[in-house]
Amino acid sequence: MENKKVTIAGAGLVGSLLACYMAKKGHDVKVYERRPDMRKTTIDGGRSINLALSNRGWKALEGVGVADEVRKMAIPMYGRVMHSREGELTNQPYGLNGEAIYSVSRGGLNALLMDEAEKHTNVSIDFDQQCMRVNLETAEASFKSYSTKEITKVEGDLLFGTDGAFSAVRSSMVKTDRFNYSQQYIEHGYKELSIPANADGTHKMEKEALHIWPRGSYMLIALPNPDGSFTCTLFFANEGETSFETVNTLEKARAFFKEHFADALELMANFDEEWENNPVSSLVIIRCFPWSKNGKVALLGDASHAIVPFYGQGMNSGFEDCTVLEEIMSQHGDDWDAILKEFETQRKPDADAIADLAMRNFVEMRDLTGNADFLLRKKIEAKFSRNNPGKWMPLYSMVTFSDIRYSDALKEGQRQDRIMEEVMAMPDIHQNWEDPKVEAKILELLGKY
């Protein structure tokens, strides 16, 4: 493969990982990041400080040889712990065979990937650089230094936009003919809170689990951190009867938490300060196409397909973009027009599918995880899958513990929904769910659908 000059706009998680992949291929890589170097300053802007890493992400990290380093900073979460209003706990394992998703620090992982990229002599990263304009014909980009105001024109053979949901590279593409673009803000926003560690550095709740307080139209979640704390996120309507709009004072917030999340509030030593100071952030879904122009410019990650966080797949799907692109590069040599066309054609259906799946999982997490029918369905599916491993993989496992294409997982999940609707309608299913007739019914319906 011919050596190329590659420009990457955005040194976030996906941009830093992409730089590693491009460097391994022998390309000269220049990365430009709008923010300061996070390794030298603390910036999170109200964004979640930890993320859920699963199979697709691990595969991408293994591809550049950093998975073992990341494992040292990751905490396995083997299931959900559901918290009722009364403080009762219910455990729901994620996988059938002890599989886990992993809580990792966003900043820690990003810093590690930047360090890894800079180990390559053919990679440089410049910070405080705002992307001002892009030439889609030549892959030239202009960046403005926040400190000196100096404009740098960067010429290259390829330009990748990994600059997030509000991508400057994408904004240049939006202005071109036949470029489809939509952004959808969902009605919910989120606020970050925390549960600090015990005095001895241990966790105040079960460490190896994702904690959820499902409350119908809203929910609270908590992910563990290595320092013994939990990062908590309240997902709450922005407006309406029960929302950030109405719970608009510290006094109201305390009363609300005391009624709906009492066991969590007791552990939130910094609740008052965090409620007052941490911002309410929005949640947006971005869809666009095409993702590339002229065989020279392409979008990856949130720049092309930002999703809501409810399946824990935002980072994982962005990382998978890198592995899919690398596989296609290996097939097409120097034909970048073919590489980028095949990449966008292959990934677009999967990006749309995980966007839909993430919203579906939001409804599941906030509305259904305490529902008796839902819990029984999960038990029936798990039992059938254990007994018939080649015939049934639960949707969550397909998305989280495999690299089955998201679009294929969505189709199979829809087929499973039709089957389970009939199974759950069987007489006295709550009493008779372990009856062999239930397994026979599923086998019959697999043939029907």
Side-chain angles (χ1 to χ4, degrees):
M1 180 175 260
E2 182 187 333
N3 172 276
K4 296 286 187 183
K5 290 182 179 179
V6 175
T7 308
I8 298 176
L13 292 164
V14 175
S16 298
L17 180 65
L18 180 63
C20 295
Y21 272 100
M22 288 294 166
K24 280 187 68 181
K25 290 286 187 183
H27 301 302
D28 293 320
V29 184
K30 291 186 175 183
V31 188
Y32 294 86
E33 168 58 44
R34 180 177 54 83
R35 299 166 298 172
D37 188 343
M38 63 167 48
R39 295 167 295 182
K40 300 174 182 176
T41 183
T42 302
I43 48 164
D44 60 45
R47 304 175 78 198
S48 175
I49 62 168
N50 51 8
L51 299 161
L53 183 58
S54 55
N55 278 41
R56 297 168 202 270
W58 285 117
K59 179 181 176 181
L61 295 171
E62 284 162 5
V64 294
V66 297
D68 288 342
E69 279 301 303
V70 176
R71 283 191 182 92
K72 295 174 185 175
M73 58 191 278
I75 299 175
M77 300 182 290
Y78 293 99
R80 300 165 170 164
V81 174
M82 319 306 300
H83 295 245
S84 74
R85 277 190 172 84
E86 295 71 39
E88 296 166 349
L89 305 182
T90 307
N91 292 286
Q92 295 176 13
Y94 276 130
L96 301 173
N97 306 300
E99 295 104 331
I101 60 177
Y102 290 78
S103 177
V104 293
S105 158
R106 176 194 293 271
L109 179 55
N110 204 159
L112 185 150
L113 288 172
M114 287 177 183
D115 288 344
E116 186 64 26
E118 289 182 330
K119 287 179 185 175
H120 298 272
T121 57
N122 51 339
V123 174
S124 66
I125 306 177
D126 287 335
F127 297 92
D128 289 305
Q129 297 286 336
Q130 182 183 9
C131 183
M132 302 300 290
R133 66 187 61 82
V134 168
N135 187 322
L136 300 173
E137 300 289 335
T138 64
E140 180 185 276
S142 296
F143 296 91
K144 181 180 180 180
S145 166
Y146 279 107
S147 56
T148 68
K149 311 303 180 189
E150 181 183 348
I151 302 278
T152 304
K153 285 189 177 180
V154 183
E155 295 179 355
D157 301 305
L158 298 163
L159 169 64
F160 291 99
T162 55
D163 48 344
F166 303 102
S167 165
V169 178
R170 189 190 63 233
S171 69
S172 294
M173 296 169 74
V174 168
K175 299 165 188 168
T176 60
D177 186 40
R178 298 176 63 208
F179 185 86
N180 293 308
Y181 169 72
S182 71
Q183 66 177 39
Q184 174 198 353
Y185 285 96
I186 70 168
E187 64 183 26
H188 288 72
Y190 68 93
K191 183 185 279 279
E192 296 284 355
L193 302 163
S194 70
I195 293 173
N198 289 314
D200 62 357
T202 57
H203 292 78
K204 290 183 175 176
M205 303 185 295
E206 167 58 42
K207 172 185 175 181
E208 295 183 336
L210 190 154
H211 294 259
I212 307 179
W213 290 257
R215 299 295 184 262
S217 62
Y218 53 90
M219 68 176 179
L220 180 72
I221 69 168
L223 277 75
N225 295 309
D227 65 0
S229 68
F230 286 86
T231 300
C232 305
T233 310
L234 173 66
F235 294 103
F236 207 37
N238 285 301
E239 299 165 340
E241 188 176 337
T242 306
S243 67
F244 285 119
E245 181 183 51
T246 54
V247 182
N248 55 8
T249 67
L250 178 58
E251 185 181 17
K252 287 179 183 177
R254 271 201 156 273
F256 184 83
F257 267 68
K258 193 169 183 179
E259 180 179 357
H260 300 286
F261 308 117
D263 61 331
L265 181 62
E266 288 175 5
L267 305 177
M268 292 177 168
N270 304 315
F271 179 85
D272 292 6
E273 178 188 348
E274 291 176 343
W275 186 270
E276 294 275 65
N277 296 323
N278 290 358
V280 173
S281 300
S282 299
L283 295 166
V284 68
I285 301 167
I286 301 288
R287 299 179 197 255
C288 67
F289 198 78
W291 294 356
S292 73
K293 287 289 182 183
N294 305 313
K296 291 176 179 282
V297 181
L299 305 172
L300 278 81
D302 283 355
S304 51
H305 54 85
I307 61 174
V308 291
F310 305 115
Y311 228 121
Q313 288 297 305
M315 170 181 64
N316 292 288
S317 64
F319 281 3
E320 191 173 55
D321 285 349
C322 295
T323 52
V324 170
L325 180 62
E326 195 270 342
E327 287 162 10
I328 295 170
M329 286 164 62
S330 299
Q331 297 163 15
H332 289 287
D334 290 320
D335 190 346
W336 277 96
D337 196 56
I339 290 168
L340 296 181
K341 280 209 162 49
E342 183 172 335
F343 171 71
E344 66 187 5
T345 302
Q346 180 176 327
R347 286 300 284 166
K348 172 63 172 168
D350 295 328
D352 287 343
I354 193 57
D356 293 340
L357 285 162
M359 281 306 296
R360 167 186 168 136
N361 211 47
F362 182 31
V363 174
E364 179 177 305
M365 289 169 75
R366 75 184 193 196
D367 295 1
L368 302 178
T369 41
N371 177 282
D373 281 355
F374 174 82
L375 296 174
L376 177 60
R377 172 181 164 164
K378 292 299 179 188
K379 283 202 286 190
I380 294 170
E381 286 189 62
K383 178 172 181 271
F384 184 81
S385 185
R386 278 193 299 270
N387 293 344
N388 303 272
K391 291 189 167 72
W392 190 287
M393 180 185 286
L395 176 60
Y396 189 88
S397 294
M398 284 189 278
V399 170
T400 308
F401 302 125
S402 85
D403 57 5
I404 293 169
R405 290 185 62 175
Y406 290 128
S407 52
D408 291 338
L410 177 58
K411 287 175 195 167
E412 180 61 16
Q414 290 166 340
R415 182 172 84 119
Q416 292 176 354
D417 285 345
R418 293 193 290 273
I419 291 168
M420 290 308 298
E421 280 174 16
E422 294 198 32
V423 170
M424 293 302 293
M426 292 174 71
D428 301 317
I429 186 65
H430 280 268
Q431 290 75 38
N432 302 325
W433 71 275
E434 293 187 281
D435 192 305
K437 290 179 182 176
V438 174
E439 188 164 319
K441 179 72 169 176
I442 297 174
L443 287 167
E444 173 200 329
L445 292 170
L446 281 169
K448 175 181 175 182
Y449 292 110

